[in-house]
Every structure is written in structure tokens, then in C-alpha cells.
Amino acid sequence: MPSPANITEFVFYKIKPGHTTHFLNPATPEGQALTQAFTHIRNAKGCQRLAYGVPDEDQDVLIALFDWDTITVHTTFRDTFDQTPQQPFWSYLTGMPFFFHAAIKYDSYRSAEMKTLLIADVTEITLHYYPTSITAEEQDKYRNALVHDLAVGVRVSGGAGWAVEEVEREGMGMAKVLVSLAGFKREGERVVVGRSLGEVV
């Protein structure tokens, strides 16, 4: 089993209306395009694992998480890889995806890496925006408090970390982002389309 990732890449793909949920079915053209694109990335040197899902709140978005050894390993791949396997998937996008990298600290009670979140029926991803002037001490304080909170309650697992890059929040300028992940078990019918994360084989 790979060791816990040093960095997780979060990618939010904006999809042309009517196509997103079909990505979860490998028998559809959309599912085949996604499998081809993501398998190509998963086989890259230094990519440890990946997961993806469609949010309940926005059916025209596909969220993907990629665990990498380091940012350098990922950016080297990104700047040099063969784009041909990605083009069928890219044809369903409405524009450039929103993405950032974060070093996630998982709660020590239940999880050591993103893979543990895959046993959850639903994974909640939350972005917390802060001014770019926030200090390193404040960042540690807020992240540690959030990780502690994620370890309490009915969650299967959880983690949080600061984005390495400053990101542009629409209409509000640049910001620092604290991202949190919380995996939940849902009673009753298992979630098929939602924030469920499923590993690409």
C-alpha cells in the first residue's frame, strides 16, 4: 500500500450540462472518456491514488482528488505529459478547471490517508476562505482545531489542510483556503451520485 501522500491536488471540473452524472457509468461515452483520462494520470509516476465524485449541490461539477508524492512530481508530469488521452474528457468541459494543492492532516483517530475516506458513503468537501494576511501561526491553529472537530461525531474519517497556492475567490480577490474533508456513513440506500468518492481501478 502506498504511503500517505505529501500533497493532494483538488480539481473542480465544470462540465457541460447534462453530461456529469454519466461520468459515473463506465459504459457511457462520458464514462469511457473519464476512465481513459484518469487512468492515464493514475499511472503517472508519483500519483499514489485518486478519487472523484459529483456534488449533490451542483450536478454540472465533477470533483477529483489526486494524491501525489510531491508538488514537483505533479507539476513535472503536468508540464510534460501526453495530452492525447485527456482530449475526449476535455471536450466535455466548459473551461479551465479550478484547482489547488493542499497538504492534508488527517484525524489520527480514524484515518491516515485519503484512501480511508473511500469507505464513506458521502465525503463532504468544504472550502474555508481567509485573508491572505493570515499568519502561519494562525493557520496552524485553525487547521488543528478543525482536524480535532472532524474527529468528533458520526464521521468515518476526516482531515484538513491549507492550500499551497493563494486562490481567487470570485468577485472577492485572492484568498488563502483551508480545505476540509469529512467522510460520513449514510443510513438507508447507499449514495450513488453525490459526493461519494470512488477509486479508479
Side-chain angles (χ1 to χ4, degrees), residues 51-52 110-111 113-124 154-158 181-187 189-192 194-199:
Y52 63 91
R110 299 187 180 93
S111 61
E113 56 184 66
M114 182 179 76
K115 193 175 183 70
T116 310
L117 288 169
L118 299 178
I119 67 174
D121 290 338
V122 178
T123 300
E124 182 182 67
V154 296
R155 299 171 183 86
V156 174
S157 56
L181 304 170
F184 294 87
K185 298 295 286 184
R186 178 174 288 184
E187 296 296 331
E189 184 179 357
R190 182 175 177 83
V191 174
V192 176
R195 281 176 167 167
S196 300
L197 300 181
E199 190 166 26

Side-chain angles (χ1 to χ4, degrees), residues 1-9 37-51 64-75 77-78 114 199-200:
M1 179 182 294
S3 60
N6 291 323
I7 203 74
T8 300
E9 176 195 12
F38 282 11
T39 299
H40 180 232
I41 297 173
R42 177 64 185 87
N43 290 336
K45 180 180 179 181
C47 183
Q48 297 179 4
R49 63 190 65 83
L50 66 88
L65 280 63
F66 303 88
D67 273 355
W68 295 91
D69 289 344
T70 65
I71 288 184
T72 301
V73 167
H74 170 231
T75 55
F77 167 76
R78 183 188 64 194
M114 182 179 76
E199 190 166 26
V200 174

